[in-house]
Amino acid sequence: MSSSDKSKAKLSQWDALMLESLNAYGWSKEERLRRIHAGELPQDESKFKFDYKLLTASAASDPATFEEAVYNGYQIKFSTLRGISSWLLLALGEEAELNLEPGQESVSAKLTVEERDRLAATLSYGWVIHGEHTGAADEKSAYRIEPLNRL
């Protein structure tokens, strides 16, 4: 882990999902940040039913961290299986497969090298990504994300 990773802004999983959902609007980082701070956000009609007022409140409570997250990326404080699956859908447009069988819990997805690296940088501590990339860097390969330690 590089020193820049250690100082990466930390966001709650829910804030990260709301932030990623706003990418669909095509706003620049500056416009997205302005709209979040001003509370000028749309009504979410997705299956997530995000209440963006909560994102505005989070940004107001720690503006420096939030700005860092928008401009330079973030790490999720605590990731869950369903949260990882949702993040893959919102951030990368990738439908993931959940395995919720006790002792075998994991998320499986096909990712490019760049997508895998972005996921790895975003996941909270305690998760591992299994799988080797095959083919060109821009081709998708199968990966499995699972807890580092199982109870």
Side-chain angles (χ1 to χ4, degrees):
M1 178 181 282
S2 72
S3 60
S4 63
D5 290 338
K6 291 178 184 173
S7 63
K8 195 174 251 191
K10 305 279 194 272
L11 292 182
S12 73
Q13 182 171 268
W14 197 245
D15 283 351
L17 293 174
M18 285 192 284
L19 186 61
E20 293 298 339
S21 74
L22 293 174
N23 287 337
Y25 294 95
W27 299 324
S28 67
K29 291 176 180 180
E30 293 80 10
E31 178 68 7
R32 194 171 345 144
L33 201 54
R34 186 197 67 74
R35 285 177 172 269
I36 291 167
H37 283 301
E40 296 173 4
L41 298 167
Q43 173 96 18
D44 183 34
E45 299 298 330
S46 75
K47 69 180 183 178
F48 297 100
K49 302 291 183 218
F50 292 124
D51 179 355
Y52 291 119
K53 288 182 227 145
L54 299 173
L55 191 62
T56 296
S58 281
S61 72
D62 192 352
T65 296
F66 204 80
E67 186 172 321
E68 177 71 18
V70 169
Y71 285 111
N72 301 312
Y74 57 85
Q75 183 177 23
I76 295 173
K77 293 177 187 176
F78 181 81
S79 301
T80 65
L81 285 168
R82 284 187 173 87
I84 293 167
S85 177
S86 296
W87 187 90
L88 287 165
L89 179 63
L90 291 168
L92 305 177
E94 183 64 35
E95 290 278 349
E97 181 181 317
L98 281 171
N99 180 353
L100 301 175
E101 184 178 330
Q104 301 298 313
E105 300 90 345
S106 64
V107 178
S108 297
K110 292 191 178 218
L111 306 170
T112 65
V113 170
E114 184 179 320
E115 290 169 339
R116 184 229 175 263
D117 291 347
R118 183 170 175 216
L119 172 63
T122 303
L123 283 173
S124 65
Y125 177 76
W127 293 90
V128 64
I129 301 173
H130 294 286
E132 293 294 323
H133 198 80
T134 57
D138 61 346
E139 292 177 6
K140 294 187 181 254
S141 291
Y143 292 97
R144 190 178 74 256
I145 303 98
E146 62 183 31
L148 181 62
N149 295 310
R150 298 194 190 270
L151 298 176

